Amino acid sequence: MRTETDRGGDLFIVDDDAAVRDGLSVVFEQAGYRVVAFADAASFLNALQQRHPDAILLDVCLPGAGGVEVLRQISQRRFEGPVVMMSGRADIPMAVAVIQAGAADLVEKPLDGQRVVHQVGQALAGHARRAAERADPVSALGPGGASLLTPRERDVLQELVRGASNKEAGRSLGISPRTIEVHRARIMEKLGARNAADLVRVIYDERRHDAR
């Protein structure tokens, strides 16, 4: 049964165990993913130079450098999608190590196919949400905070959070800098911000709250 977090897309699976690769490929293809599986880090990293999937499912215990080192190399290549790690030892120290190295999640072996599909889907959904927030900073306020603002105030807030001055924001929106100042004062009053730095803090506090 598909859920809202089982989104499909291009997926690279990296595991030196053929049975794991084959089993995961079947499960993810049935869930609507386009899967390419790799038995070693070298072939995977070579393929990553040519094509970036939507997500990567990577085993921690790979021969040679190991999955955590491969994860660091993925980050160096500016791969922007989520990487979900797999390990037979998914304890707290391991989870801390892979998350600090840039992983979106850690799943424990032996694998439950449907659970892994769900967790990869969650990682993709979280990645899409964060990308949308970067494109529209006001969305980080959530429905409660954003509903306090008029459409024009939302436009002004987007400009200010992106670092525009009153003059630059006015030019972008086709209104005077003085009008921007008025909107800015109203935005800060509605959101309980005392100054520009406080306004940014309010937004990023909301982002951290949503992430929890």
Side-chain angles (χ1 to χ4, degrees):
M1 180 177 180
R2 300 288 298 280
T3 71
E4 63 180 3
T5 54
D6 300 335
R7 305 170 69 88
D10 292 329
L11 176 69
F12 280 6
I13 297 174
V14 191
D15 196 301
D16 63 326
D17 187 323
V20 172
R21 292 195 309 274
D22 293 345
L24 287 174
S25 295
V26 170
V27 170
F28 276 96
E29 286 170 354
Q30 290 177 343
Y33 287 80
R34 295 172 294 278
V35 177
V36 181
F38 303 90
D40 58 84
S43 60
F44 158 69
L45 291 171
N46 183 61
L48 196 62
Q49 291 180 330
Q50 309 298 324
R51 172 185 170 193
H52 276 193
D54 296 298
I56 295 169
L57 191 54
L58 174 66
D59 189 33
V60 169
C61 296
L62 290 174
V68 175
E69 176 56 33
V70 174
L71 178 59
R72 294 192 180 99
Q73 294 186 44
I74 293 171
S75 299
Q76 292 171 0
R77 295 179 185 217
R78 299 185 181 280
F79 175 71
E80 296 183 354
V83 180
V84 175
M85 303 295 288
M86 303 177 286
S87 175
R89 184 172 64 88
D91 54 14
I92 290 177
M94 176 63 71
V96 170
V98 299
I99 296 301
Q100 287 181 339
D105 201 356
L106 173 67
V107 296
E108 186 172 11
K109 292 182 174 181
L111 301 170
D112 179 312
Q114 294 305 316
R115 180 170 177 77
V116 177
V117 170
H118 179 72
Q119 288 182 258
V120 170
Q122 284 187 313
L124 281 166
H127 175 72
R129 183 177 62 252
R130 289 187 293 273
E133 288 178 354
R134 287 193 296 270
D136 178 10
V138 179
S139 66
L141 293 171
S147 66
L148 298 174
L149 307 180
T150 67
R152 177 55 85 186
E153 288 168 349
R154 288 172 58 90
D155 292 341
V156 170
L157 180 56
Q158 286 189 30
E159 294 295 326
L160 297 178
V161 171
R162 289 170 181 166
S165 66
N166 289 344
K167 185 176 180 180
E168 291 168 338
R171 186 183 305 117
S172 175
L173 298 175
I175 55 181
S176 71
R178 174 57 183 162
T179 303
I180 293 290
E181 290 179 8
V182 172
H183 284 306
R184 176 174 170 171
R186 290 175 177 170
I187 291 167
M188 293 172 64
E189 181 181 359
K190 288 180 178 181
L191 299 182
R194 293 164 296 181
N195 51 45
D198 199 24
L199 182 61
V200 173
R201 181 193 59 75
V202 169
I203 290 176
Y204 282 91
D205 282 351
E206 288 288 343
R207 286 184 179 179
R208 286 193 292 269
H209 176 75
D210 290 345
R212 292 196 297 268

